[in-house]
Amino acid sequence: MITVRLHRREDIPYRVKWMNNPKVNKFIGDRLGSKTTLKEQTVWFSNYQKDKTKKFFTICDQKKPIGFMGLKNISKENRNAELFILIGEDNYRGKGIGKIAMQWLLNYGFQKCKLHKINLGVIKDNIPAVKLYKSLGFKIEGVMKDEVCSNGRYYDFLSMAIFEK
Ligand SMILES: CC(C)(COP(=O)(O)OP(=O)(O)OC[C@H]1O[C@@H](n2cnc3c(N)ncnc32)[C@H](O)[C@@H]1OP(=O)(O)O)[C@@H](O)C(=O)NCCC(=O)NCCS
């Protein structure tokens, strides 16, 4: 059974493992395929705890952490935020868990945080992610051509959004 709980300090080693997994990081971050360290993620977590514009959650199978997701750049004034999701464990992608987790997070964003709009950015070639977001009702608001460069290849970046019902 898929459960969601608050992101915790003990999740830091999982963050490092997942963000360093080539199957996961090939389409995430400012530098595709980049590596991170325990030290970097420990600093990230300390900053995260002080940051009121971020709210992250750990996705679990029963109690086993399998990924994380969250809202960042939460703006109370504009009632919007940016969404992110990552299923880190290889055996858990492509099984519909992303959809379950995202439905939970959208509900949290719209019902609990009373957001009007949720944005996200995704590399156009990230087929599972784009499919997932479209199936949830996200619409493409803009295409940034050749926005990201990795290993000498340029990738288009999509800006997508969904509104409160
Ligand atoms: C993107 C991600 C969150 C999707 O979650 P998931 O649980 O693997 O996806 P789901 O099983 O819910 O499938 C979502 C859709 O993609 C399709 N899909 C999944 N894997 C696919 C693949 N390898 N190739 C083509 N389509 C695929 C599914 O059929 C589904 O489409 P449908 O609703 O039309 O049937 C997950 O793959 C992931 O964490 N990837 C690595 C990190 C990442 O890219 N995060 C997003 C950054 S913007």
Side-chain angles (χ1 to χ4, degrees):
M1 192 187 58
I2 298 306
T3 58
V4 174
R5 62 158 171 78
L6 285 173
H7 210 34
R8 297 201 289 245
R9 183 165 286 276
E10 68 222 48
D11 295 326
I12 294 172
Y14 290 107
R15 290 180 59 86
V16 177
K17 177 187 168 195
W18 297 334
M19 291 166 87
N20 284 341
N21 179 344
K23 290 182 186 157
V24 173
N25 71 15
K26 66 176 177 178
F27 285 136
I28 62 166
D30 297 334
R31 287 178 301 122
L32 303 188
S34 63
K35 298 280 184 190
T36 188
T37 62
L38 201 56
K39 193 174 169 192
E40 272 175 11
Q41 290 307 311
T42 305
V43 171
W44 180 90
F45 196 85
S46 297
N47 291 333
Y48 160 73
Q49 284 185 306
K50 293 176 233 150
D51 190 342
K52 294 212 174 344
T53 70
K54 287 192 176 89
K55 195 81 185 173
F56 274 63
F57 300 91
T58 304
I59 307 162
C60 302
D61 174 19
Q62 306 281 5
K63 291 197 166 168
K64 176 186 153 72
I66 58 167
F68 66 91
M69 62 184 176
L71 298 174
K72 52 189 177 180
N73 296 324
I74 301 170
S75 165
K76 285 193 174 148
E77 296 74 26
N78 298 321
R79 292 181 55 218
N80 63 24
E82 199 181 323
L83 175 149
F84 179 80
I85 180 165
L86 175 164
I87 310 279
E89 294 294 325
D90 287 342
N91 295 339
Y92 288 89
R93 282 185 299 278
K95 294 186 172 166
I97 294 170
K99 193 159 192 172
I100 296 170
M102 288 283 296
Q103 281 164 338
W104 187 96
L105 188 58
L106 290 175
N107 190 53
Y108 175 85
F110 289 127
Q111 305 304 322
K112 179 105 175 128
C113 304
K114 306 270 181 243
L115 296 175
H116 171 61
K117 180 180 186 183
I118 297 178
N119 300 294
L120 63 83
V122 59
I123 302 282
K124 194 176 159 190
D125 292 54
N126 191 347
I127 306 295
V130 174
K131 266 192 175 178
L132 171 63
Y133 301 143
K134 282 186 175 168
S135 78
L136 288 160
F138 279 85
K139 299 274 187 291
I140 297 171
E141 293 202 323
V143 183
M144 285 157 251
K145 305 289 282 181
D146 285 357
E147 181 70 10
V148 181
C149 185
S150 176
N151 288 327
R153 190 185 152 188
Y154 288 96
Y155 294 87
D156 292 352
F157 194 76
L158 305 179
S159 186
M160 301 181 81
I162 189 169
F163 292 85
E164 65 181 325
K165 299 281 183 298

